[in-house]
Amino acid sequence: MLRLSPSHDKGRGTLGYVTEHSGRRPKLARRVADAAEIALTARKYVTFIDVVTGLRWLHTRHVDVWRQGRAATLAELAAVDEDRLLTAAALLREWATAKGLRPVDVPYTAGTRDRRELRFTSKDGQDPFRVHWLSPDLSEARVRRLTEARSKPPDLVAVAPLDAWTCAACGDTGPYLIMEDDRPHCLTCTDLDHLVFLPSGDAALSRRAKQESGLSAVVVRYNRRRKVYQRMGLLVEEAALAAAEERCLADEEVRLRRRERDRVRRAEQDVEFQARMAAEIARLFPGCPEPRAREIAEHAGQRGSGRVGRSAAARALDENAITLAVIASIRHLDTDYDRLLMSGVPRMEARDLVRERIEHKLDEFRSNVRA
């Protein structure tokens, strides 16, 4: 259940000490504020996870591992120590309090059979990390939906491992593993071997099969190239899958029409976003030709591209994210970067070789004279 977070100002414990001395770390305070502002702009609330991933102390893949119950604490996966995480939590609280955000305490639960509460650090007291800071502009309906969503237990997670593994209970193996007591177990030992696999691809079928199934698990696999866990599908009861298929057949035509309307609406939203992004490029880089600004915005802001223009920071029209999009365009169109890569030059070395040219072009774009 979500509940209003109690004040953390009582006493002179670790958190109070860190907060009291946060003035010694103005640079970190600015970085925390920047990361929090981006998350707040994107979805009207901020979490500690948003901040530490924004600071690059943790990657989303680390958060995935933790949520799957495959790490005892989040801190052991972080690039900084536990005291540094406490400092960030304290700075987030100070920033959020100054902004007038509403604190809501949210328990984090592991995607394991025991549904245990996840721990952020090895220290006592997880409250500073669990707080969600909600914008006062967030509607009551949104708050209610958020409350309902966060109150639900997380999906069970079954991992499709890339390497050979052994069940901690029976010594056997299998196509999927479930974590219990921080150790891998096979589907048979976790009483999930009666479930069938439904691949991703049909959102309506997946959603309905999960609704019909009394027991289900999300199947993920680690992508070594992208360094993230990717959803592969669901494990559901066979009867539930059959029932879901019947429901999908019954309203297939209606769903096709709805998808077409949604496609048109998303395209219109993309055009509006890309226009705002092009205008921001023109403001930050007045010397950039208008067609070039539009081209950068259209390329970087393409839906589903995974480019910097689709990041939360870019959607909030963050100056750094916009600048990165412009730099990427210059790197590929105005330097020998691509030719260097094709000739076998390592990526980071190639970037060093074209850095001066990029800086020169950025200075040209920042001037008030259109190229």
Side-chain angles (χ1 to χ4, degrees), residues 243-270:
E245 289 171 339
E246 290 293 331
R247 289 174 60 187
C248 288
L249 287 173
D251 64 356
E252 184 175 8
E253 185 176 345
V254 174
R255 288 185 294 109
L256 283 173
R257 290 200 298 269
R258 185 179 299 144
R259 279 200 296 270
E260 178 60 21
R261 290 198 302 272
D262 290 344
R263 184 191 65 78
V264 172
R265 186 183 71 252
R266 287 194 299 270
E268 291 172 349
Q269 291 172 342
D270 279 356

Side-chain angles (χ1 to χ4, degrees), residues 161 163-168 170-177 184-189:
D163 303 315
W165 69 282
T166 302
C167 175
C170 68
D172 203 351
T173 188
Y176 312 110
L177 64 85
H185 290 72
C186 66
L187 296 187
T188 300
C189 292

Side-chain angles (χ1 to χ4, degrees), residues 193-225:
D193 55 347
H194 64 294
L195 303 181
V196 296
F197 178 64
L198 171 61
S200 298
D202 189 326
L205 180 59
S206 296
R207 182 178 64 254
R208 290 172 173 177
K210 186 178 177 182
Q211 291 171 350
E212 297 280 353
S213 190
L215 186 62
S216 64
V218 175
V219 178
V220 299
R221 173 177 288 156
Y222 187 66
N223 184 317
R224 287 197 175 110
R225 182 177 62 84

Side-chain angles (χ1 to χ4, degrees), residues 13 31 53 60 75 79 96 105 121 128 168 194 231 267 317 320 326 333 345:
R31 293 178 62 203
T53 53
T60 52
D105 189 84
T121 71
H194 64 294
R231 183 170 177 146
L317 298 181
N320 289 334
V326 174
L333 298 183
V345 177

Side-chain angles (χ1 to χ4, degrees), residues 234-248:
L234 291 171
L235 292 173
V236 295
E237 296 166 344
E238 192 167 1
L241 178 55
E245 289 171 339
E246 290 293 331
R247 289 174 60 187
C248 288

